[in-house]
C-alpha cells in the first residue's frame, strides 16, 4: 500500500512538473493521465466489492443482471487483478462463477426474474467478461460454457447481420449488436473459433447504420444520429477489425463535434455513451485521446458520490462499474480495450 501511494505521488509530481514546463497533454504518459483519478478509482472499486454478494451478484434489482455482474468484473480486471490474483481476484472469481451458474444448456446467459433492459444486452456483456477471464485463466468448464455462449451469438445473428433484445434471428439494432461483436472479438482473442462470415456480415450491418453526418442511427435508414450509439458504432468497427477508412474517420469526426456537449453531462444514456466513447478515442489515440480522456476523467471525479459510487437510473452498481472502466482505460490491462 505504501509503495502504491508513493507511485501515485510520483506520478502526480510528474504531471505538475510537465505542466510547469509547458508540456502539452499529448506529452503526458498513461500513468500521468490517470494519476488524478486514482483515488476515485480506488473508492469506486471498493464500493463494487462491498456490494457483491456471496453468489457473485452485485445486489438486488439490476445487481442480479448478468450485464451488471459482467461489467463489474471488467472493472476489477481493468485494475490489474486477474481471476484469483490481486486485490480483486476473488471478486472476479465470484463474477465468473455467477455467470457460469446462470448459463443455460444452450449457452444463453441470463437470470430469470432479474431486472433487465433486454436479455441479449446481458448476454453480450456477460460473454465478454467470460472471454476476458478465460484468456487470463483458462478453465475447462469456462471454455465449454463460453463456447456455447459464442455459438448462441453466431446462430442468432439475423439476416441483416445484427442482433436485438431476444436470442432470435429476427430484428437488429446497433446498440445490442455492439455488445455481441465485442464478445465475439474477445473470444477470438482468447483462441475460440468465430466464423469470419459472422464478422463480415456485422461490418456490413454497422456500415448501413451510418448516416451522412458520420454518426450512426439505431437501425439502417434511421437518420437520427446520436452520441451514444455513434460511439458504439465506431467501436463496433474497431472490434470487427476495421481500424481505418472513411467510416471510422467520419465516425470519429462526429464524436469530436459532440465533445463539448456530451462532456458537460447533457446526454442521454450517459455512462453507456462514455463507455464506448472512451474506447473509440483510446483506439484513435493522438490528440483526440489526449483531449477527451482528461475531460471525462475530471467530470467523473466531480460526479462521484461520497460513498465511492456513481448514480444512474439503472443503479449505482452499473454506473460505478462503467465509470471505473472509463477511468482505468489508460491502464491498458484488459485485452479487448487495448490498442
Amino acid at each position: 500500500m505504501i509503495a502504491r501511494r508513493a507511485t501515485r505521488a510520483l506520478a502526480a509530481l510528474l504531471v505538475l512538473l510537465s505542466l510547469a514546463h509547458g508540456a502539452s497533454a499529448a506529452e503526458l504518459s498513461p500513468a500521468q493521465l490517470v494519476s488524478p483519478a486514482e483515488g476515485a478509482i480506488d473508492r469506486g472499486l471498493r464500493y463494487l466489492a462491498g456490494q457483491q454478494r456471496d453468489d457473485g451478484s452485485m445486489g438486488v434489482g439490476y445487481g442480479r443482471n448478468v450485464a451488471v455482474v459482467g461489467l463489474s468484473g471488467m472493472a476489477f480486471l481493468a485494475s490489474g487483478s486477474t481471476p484469483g490474483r490481486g486485490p480483486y481476484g476473488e471478486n472476479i472469481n465470484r463474477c465468473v462463477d455467477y455467470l457460469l451458474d446462470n448459463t443455460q444448456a444452450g449457452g444463453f446467459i441470463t437470470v430469470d426474474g432479474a431486472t433487465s433492459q433486454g436479455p441479449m444486452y446481458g448476454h453480450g456483456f456477460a460473454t465478454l467478461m467470460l472471454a476476458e477471464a478465460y484468456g487470463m485463466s483458462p478453465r475447462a468448464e469456462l471454455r465449454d460454457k463460453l463456447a456455447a455462449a459464442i455459438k448462441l451469438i453466431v446462430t442468432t445473428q439475423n439476416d441483416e447481420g445484427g442482433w436485438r433484445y431476444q436470442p432470435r434471428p429476427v430484428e437488429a439494432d446497433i446498440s445490442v449488436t455492439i455488445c455481441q461483436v465485442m464478445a465475439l472479438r474477445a473470444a477470438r482473442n482468447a483462441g475460440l473459433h468465430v466464423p469470419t462470415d459472422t464478422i463480415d456480415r456485422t461490418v456490413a450491418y454497422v456500415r448501413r447504420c451510418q448516416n451522412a453526418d458520420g454518426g450512426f442511427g439505431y437501425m439502417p435508414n434511421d437518420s437520427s444520429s446520436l452520441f451514444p450509439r455513434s460511439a458504439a458504432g465506431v467501436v463496433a468497427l474497431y472490434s470487427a477489425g476495421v481500424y481505418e477508412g472513411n467510416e471510422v474517420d467520419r465516425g470519429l469526426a462526429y464524436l469530436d463535434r459532440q465533445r463539448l456537449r456530451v462532456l458537460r453531462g447533457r446526454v442521454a444514456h450517459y455512462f453507456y455513451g462514455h463507455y464506448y466513447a472512451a474506447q473509440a478515442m483510446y483506439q484513435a489515440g493522438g490528440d483526440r485521446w489526449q483531449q477527451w480522456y482528461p475531460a471525462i476523467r475530471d467530470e467523473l471525479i466531480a460526479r462521484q458520490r461520497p460513498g465511492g459510487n456513481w448514480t444512474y437510473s439503472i443503479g449505482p452498481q452499473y454506473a460505478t462499474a462503467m465509470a471505473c472502466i472509463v477511468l482505468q482505460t489508460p491502464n491498458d490491462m484488459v485485452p479487448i480495450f487495448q490498442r
Side-chain angles (χ1 to χ4, degrees):
M1 181 65 73
I2 294 175
R4 190 175 182 185
R5 288 175 178 168
T7 300
R8 291 177 191 162
L10 177 59
L13 178 59
L14 290 172
V15 172
L16 293 173
L17 290 174
S18 297
L19 294 175
H21 287 82
S24 69
E27 295 171 337
L28 297 178
S29 70
Q32 292 170 330
L33 282 171
V34 79
S35 177
E38 288 283 6
I41 292 167
D42 280 352
R43 291 190 295 276
L45 293 175
R46 288 199 303 269
Y47 172 83
L48 287 176
Q51 293 295 302
Q52 192 174 40
R53 305 290 180 87
D54 290 342
D55 66 355
S57 67
M58 301 304 297
V60 298
Y62 278 105
R64 296 179 59 239
N65 187 291
V66 295
V68 174
V69 175
L71 288 166
S72 297
M74 294 291 286
F76 293 134
L77 289 173
S79 72
S81 290
T82 59
R85 296 186 177 184
Y88 299 103
E90 291 308 314
N91 299 100
I92 294 169
N93 277 344
R94 287 197 289 273
C95 288
V96 170
D97 289 343
Y98 184 80
L99 299 179
L100 293 179
D101 289 344
N102 289 286
T103 302
Q104 299 177 359
F108 192 32
I109 309 174
T110 188
V111 175
D112 291 338
T115 310
S116 174
Q117 294 286 308
M120 283 301 282
Y121 277 122
H123 182 81
F125 284 121
T127 304
L128 170 62
M129 197 271 164
L130 289 181
E132 294 300 324
Y134 176 75
M136 297 176 184
S137 181
R139 291 166 45 186
E141 179 193 16
L142 176 48
R143 180 184 176 88
D144 291 345
K145 292 192 175 184
L146 173 60
I150 291 298
K151 183 178 179 180
L152 181 136
I153 294 175
V154 172
T155 58
T156 57
Q157 185 179 34
N158 83 338
D159 291 340
E160 293 181 285
W163 293 263
R164 205 147 192 245
Y165 300 136
Q166 300 294 332
R168 297 192 295 266
V170 181
E171 298 179 298
D173 69 65
I174 199 166
S175 183
V176 177
T177 295
I178 175 58
C179 295
Q180 314 314 312
V181 72
M182 283 189 71
L184 294 174
R185 176 58 182 268
R188 178 177 281 184
N189 289 347
L192 278 74
H193 173 68
V194 175
T196 300
D197 178 65
T198 301
I199 301 302
D200 291 343
R201 292 168 60 207
T202 301
V203 171
Y205 175 78
V206 173
R207 283 173 169 159
R208 289 198 301 275
C209 290
Q210 190 168 33
N211 294 319
D213 63 1
F216 289 78
Y218 188 56
M219 296 176 176
N221 301 317
D222 172 12
S223 61
S224 59
S225 298
L226 291 176
F227 163 71
R229 58 178 175 245
S230 297
V234 173
V235 176
L237 292 172
Y238 280 138
S239 297
V242 181
Y243 298 108
E244 56 186 21
N246 182 53
E247 297 94 340
V248 172
D249 291 342
R250 289 168 53 224
L252 290 171
Y254 174 87
L255 296 179
D256 278 338
R257 294 194 298 273
Q258 302 294 309
R259 182 163 62 94
L260 290 180
R261 181 179 67 87
V262 303
L263 289 173
R264 291 172 181 166
R266 295 194 295 271
V267 59
H269 308 294
Y270 178 86
F271 290 97
Y272 175 94
H274 282 296
Y275 167 80
Y276 287 116
Q279 294 177 54
M281 292 303 172
Y282 185 66
Q283 292 294 329
D287 289 341
R288 279 192 168 106
W289 169 243
Q290 296 289 342
Q291 293 174 16
W292 194 282
Y293 176 77
I296 186 59
R297 176 199 66 200
D298 293 348
E299 184 173 310
L300 287 174
I301 291 172
R303 281 172 169 256
Q304 190 175 32
R305 304 302 293 270
N309 64 290
W310 284 261
T311 59
Y312 192 66
S313 59
I314 294 178
Q317 297 93 333
Y318 164 81
T320 303
M322 285 295 213
C324 286
I325 291 170
V326 171
L327 291 174
Q328 294 179 103
T329 302
N331 290 345
D332 211 30
M333 292 291 182
V334 183
I336 193 65
F337 299 144
Q338 293 171 353
R339 289 191 179 115

